[in-house]
Amino acid sequence: MERRGRVKIESKSFGISILYGLIFIFAFALISSLIFAFILRFTSAQEGSLQYVITALSFIGLFGGGFLSGGKRKEKGWLIGGFTGLIYSFVVFLFQYLGYDRLFDAEQVIYHTCYTLIAMMGGILGVNISSNNSRRAA
């Protein structure tokens, strides 16, 4: 009987952890997009010249989302980070497919695979750092 209750609690914290990570990722993306929109609008910078900076910030955002998810869950960081990255990629895919009637091309598949791997690494580090902090406090 106790087993059923524990599974329900674990799955709830799993979903909440992913939700925290996704909120971080999309908030980070929104703020970054606004900053770059202002830079492109009010300076002579071209979109092509900012491509690598935008890609680097995307990786940082996904790493941060995975890190937050892993830190919230405190176990199975690779799994929670991976799910966070996969759900992010799925939301972007749905937006692109339903909104613009386009599938991912080969380059986007590579980017989103890397995003998922980066989120997994963030999840692993988030679990390890949160575990070390809780050990020191005890």
Side-chain angles (χ1 to χ4, degrees), residues 10-25:
E10 285 181 10
S11 65
K12 183 177 179 182
S13 68
F14 192 80
I16 296 294
S17 300
I18 291 174
L19 186 62
Y20 272 98
L22 289 172
I23 289 170
F24 175 84
I25 292 169

Side-chain angles (χ1 to χ4, degrees), residues 58-104:
S58 298
F59 284 126
I60 290 169
L62 267 292
F63 182 85
F67 184 87
L68 186 62
S69 293
K72 279 290 205 195
R73 180 75 171 129
K74 294 185 174 63
E75 63 182 16
K76 298 180 184 171
W78 66 274
L79 186 64
I80 195 89
F83 272 123
T84 303
L86 283 174
I87 292 172
Y88 167 79
S89 293
F90 184 68
V91 168
V92 171
F93 173 78
L94 285 178
F95 182 78
Q96 183 172 324
Y97 180 69
L98 297 174
Y100 296 103
D101 200 23
R102 289 185 35 207
L103 296 172
F104 279 170

Side-chain angles (χ1 to χ4, degrees), residues 1 15 22 25 36 40 51 54 64-68 70 78 82 85-86 90 95 99 102 113 118 121 123 125-126 130:
M1 183 89 72
L22 289 172
I25 292 169
F36 283 114
L40 290 170
Q51 177 182 0
I54 292 170
F67 184 87
L68 186 62
W78 66 274
L86 283 174
F90 184 68
F95 182 78
R102 289 185 35 207
T113 302
I118 290 289
M121 286 188 267
L125 192 62
S130 71

